Amino acid sequence: MDEARQEIAARFYANFMDVIEGEGEEEGPRGGGRGGTRRFAARFETVAFGPFTVGDMQCGADVRMRFGDLGAYHVNLPLSGRLELRQGRAPAVVATPGQGNILDPSGAVVVDRWAGDCRIVAVKIAKAALWEHLEELLGRCPRRGLSFAPALDLTGGPGREWAALLRRVAAEMGQPEGLAGHPLMARPVQDALLTGLLLAAGHPYREELDRPAGPLRPAPVKRVIDAVRERPEHPFTTTELAALARVSARRLQESFRAHVGTTPMGYVRDVRLERVRDELRAAEPGGGLTVSEVAWRWGFTHLGRFAASYRERFGEAPSRTLQAGPPARG
């Protein structure tokens, strides 16, 4: 049991785990099996693939688990049995071979029952990678958070296809000569998996992604977006951004309005505000961190305008975000 906890903590998240005793005979096919509680005999096979960590996992006995904030997006794809869990204050959900489950980075997770006969493919996805990929697909900085509907249909359509692709890639990664691990293939396959999840699952941007794609962003716009995302705290000016884009300032302004929906400096502000919010949400209340310190670090030199922009963007004052602190851990 200790080895299982340590393995999950090393590959996925810190956790508490214990066997559900004495319920095997009552649960029958649902969990512990007939003839008493199953013997705990965990089997984990895990591979890392860029922003993904994929595990083929089974415990052999009914267990319950608790996690704090995951800090990453997570998908459970049962191959057999059932997994009963809940996150934060949301209602409990059941994951089965016909319905997977998606967890957000924030919100304590409780697994009420991971049945002994439940074999799952567990997928951890780096938050920053998925968010940046969504930004690339939209061609702009999203104005709302990325929170998924908890259920993922695996009986058909995009959900089933995405799960099948993920399992094939994981199998390839386990082979020394697997094509998915080749440097020329790895990034395109990772992008395909990120795109596939965004097209298969429910979230606030799903309808926008389903609409026919407009023209691709021109190279000057992409050069500026890449530069800003790499160093959002840098004191960019329109002139400097135009030089990076290798076009005139007027041309860059027009291209940004057409393809991103804002100005170049508006995009800089949006990215900085997201970074500030992430840092404020992660801080412990009373830990000595101040809103002004975080704002300055991310390039906001006029605190009054910063506070107004923050409130307009997120619907609350930055001080309130800081006072709330990280979501409660389990």
Side-chain angles (χ1 to χ4, degrees):
M1 179 70 73
D2 287 340
E3 290 177 324
R5 293 190 193 103
Q6 292 167 9
E7 178 68 11
I8 293 175
R11 304 290 186 176
F12 290 94
Y13 325 100
N15 65 93
F16 298 91
M17 173 194 289
D18 60 272
V19 172
I20 300 175
E21 298 287 354
E23 300 183 14
E25 192 167 354
E26 295 175 6
E27 293 296 326
R30 273 189 63 190
R34 297 181 176 84
T37 303
R38 291 176 183 263
R39 177 177 175 272
F40 183 82
R43 182 186 63 81
F44 303 153
E45 297 180 6
T46 309
V47 296
F49 184 50
F52 297 89
T53 301
V54 184
D56 184 340
M57 312 176 76
Q58 188 169 4
C59 285
D62 290 16
V63 300
R64 62 170 63 92
M65 301 185 70
R66 289 188 292 120
F67 304 86
D69 289 348
L70 303 182
Y73 292 97
H74 185 93
V75 184
N76 292 308
L77 304 172
L79 302 178
S80 61
R82 55 191 278 146
L83 185 71
E84 303 169 18
L85 69 164
R86 47 199 162 92
Q87 183 173 31
R89 297 182 178 180
V93 296
V94 177
T96 67
Q99 178 177 283
N101 165 253
I102 306 180
L103 299 169
D104 289 328
S106 298
V109 176
V110 176
V111 177
D112 293 307
R113 182 182 295 272
W114 179 357
D117 63 347
C118 179
R119 176 186 171 193
I120 65 171
V121 175
V123 189
K124 177 182 178 182
I125 308 163
K127 175 183 175 181
L130 191 57
W131 180 264
E132 290 177 5
H133 193 73
L134 174 63
E135 184 177 327
E136 290 180 0
L137 294 177
L138 295 175
R140 60 180 174 80
C141 185
R143 291 192 171 274
R144 291 177 290 171
L146 176 60
S147 182
F148 285 98
L152 179 63
D153 183 10
L154 303 177
T155 61
R160 182 177 66 182
E161 295 302 317
W162 183 79
L165 174 61
L166 180 90
R167 290 194 295 267
R168 287 197 296 269
V169 170
E172 281 278 319
M173 289 300 298
Q175 303 297 323
E177 304 299 324
L179 190 60
H182 192 283
L184 294 178
M185 288 289 294
R187 183 56 187 270
V189 173
Q190 292 164 17
D191 286 348
L193 287 170
L194 292 171
T195 301
L197 178 61
L198 290 168
L199 293 176
H203 56 83
Y205 305 96
R206 173 67 182 276
E207 290 186 5
E208 186 174 351
L209 293 176
D210 282 341
R211 290 198 290 266
L216 295 177
R217 290 176 309 191
V221 173
K222 187 177 187 305
R223 283 194 285 267
V224 169
I225 286 177
D226 290 345
V228 172
R229 281 170 41 189
E230 183 177 354
R231 293 192 301 157
E233 74 284 0
H234 180 75
F236 289 108
T237 64
T238 301
T239 301
E240 181 180 2
L241 292 175
L244 289 170
R246 304 173 207 163
V247 297
S248 69
R250 180 177 178 180
R251 173 72 180 280
L252 182 63
Q253 294 272 10
E254 293 172 349
S255 295
F256 253 78
R257 287 195 180 279
H259 296 277
V260 185
T262 187
T263 64
M265 294 308 297
Y267 180 78
V268 172
R269 182 197 62 229
D270 288 344
V271 173
R272 288 175 176 173
L273 286 171
E274 290 290 345
R275 300 297 192 274
V276 170
R277 183 168 175 81
D278 286 345
E279 187 167 345
L280 293 178
R281 293 184 68 185
E284 293 289 344
L289 188 70
T290 66
V291 169
S292 59
E293 176 186 349
V294 178
W296 276 92
R297 179 157 44 246
W298 291 106
F300 292 100
T301 57
H302 192 292
L303 295 182
R305 284 199 293 266
F306 156 73
S309 297
Y310 189 97
R311 183 186 294 274
E312 180 183 1
R313 177 72 180 273
F314 302 113
E316 65 180 13
S319 57
R320 183 176 180 84
T321 305
L322 178 60
Q323 291 165 6
R329 295 182 176 274

